[in-house]
Amino acid sequence: KLFLDDGKREDIRDMFTRERVENSLYPGVEELYRRVLPPDIYKMMITRNIIEIGRPFGDFLGFHEVIPEIFDKEKITEEFVNKHPYFTRYLVIGDSREDEVILDVLEYSRRNRKIEYSISCCRSNHKNNGIEKFDVKFGRDYRGLVGILRN
């Protein structure tokens, strides 16, 4: 848990306006989440960040749920899969080694017939070059991924 007093959290919340969120997105991110992914797809953000940062991005991009300050992504993924047996196909977009544990849980769930499949995409950068488990890797520009998904 981060130790921020309410005043600091309020300052952070005030900083992340819709305009600031929109201007800070990598190319293609808005198009991917707001226009390319089907509107009926359930979108959930699991983030280590605080809610005052995660929520504005989640709201802008049309996420149904933002779960902040999660440092055990394995546990939260297991809980989600078990609570929502009607979700059987997963698309995971991550950018860190910590996100690989999500893929491990989903692969275990697939082998145990809890889900049909998962597809994973990783925004690659110099800090996470060692990530191996993702199906697709792309850079900060999401437009290539958007192009693939549109066709």
Side-chain angles (χ1 to χ4, degrees):
K1 234 11 181 176
L2 296 175
F3 297 99
L4 295 173
D5 64 36
D6 290 339
K8 292 269 190 228
R9 284 183 176 264
E10 192 173 314
D11 291 345
I12 292 168
R13 188 174 28 252
D14 291 344
M15 284 175 39
F16 283 87
T17 63
R18 180 179 174 91
E19 181 181 6
R20 182 172 185 168
V21 167
E22 188 174 6
N23 290 333
S24 67
L25 295 173
Y26 295 129
V29 170
E30 180 180 0
E31 186 174 7
L32 173 66
Y33 288 105
R34 292 181 67 178
R35 295 185 195 96
V36 173
L37 294 177
D40 61 340
I41 194 171
Y42 188 83
K43 293 183 278 190
M44 178 175 67
M45 179 189 301
I46 301 172
T47 181
R48 289 177 289 174
N49 232 318
I50 60 176
I51 192 68
E52 289 80 4
I53 295 173
R55 170 74 63 215
F57 283 92
D59 288 348
F60 181 77
L61 295 171
F63 279 77
H64 296 88
E65 190 173 357
V66 176
I67 305 175
E69 299 181 58
I70 297 297
F71 297 92
D72 186 350
K73 292 183 179 185
E74 180 177 10
K75 180 181 176 190
I76 197 85
T77 304
E78 286 174 4
E79 290 172 357
F80 186 87
V81 169
N82 290 328
K83 278 188 197 174
H84 303 91
Y86 42 87
F87 290 130
T88 61
R89 296 174 288 177
Y90 288 78
L91 171 63
V92 177
I93 300 176
D95 65 0
S96 70
R97 186 168 300 287
E98 290 83 8
D99 294 333
E100 285 186 313
V101 298
I102 295 170
L103 308 181
D104 293 338
V105 170
L106 293 176
E107 177 56 24
Y108 178 82
S109 298
R110 186 194 63 76
R111 285 195 315 263
N112 288 288
R113 301 177 195 261
K114 290 183 178 183
I115 70 169
E116 288 179 51
Y117 64 83
S118 66
I119 297 171
S120 59
C121 303
C122 176
R123 186 188 59 75
S124 186
N125 62 41
H126 67 281
K127 293 178 188 173
N128 66 6
N129 279 339
I131 293 177
E132 300 296 328
K133 295 180 182 178
F134 286 85
D135 300 315
V136 177
K137 292 183 183 178
F138 58 93
R140 289 182 175 189
D141 189 335
Y142 282 51
R143 291 176 290 193
L145 178 61
V146 167
I148 289 169
L149 292 174
R150 282 210 160 164
N151 294 321

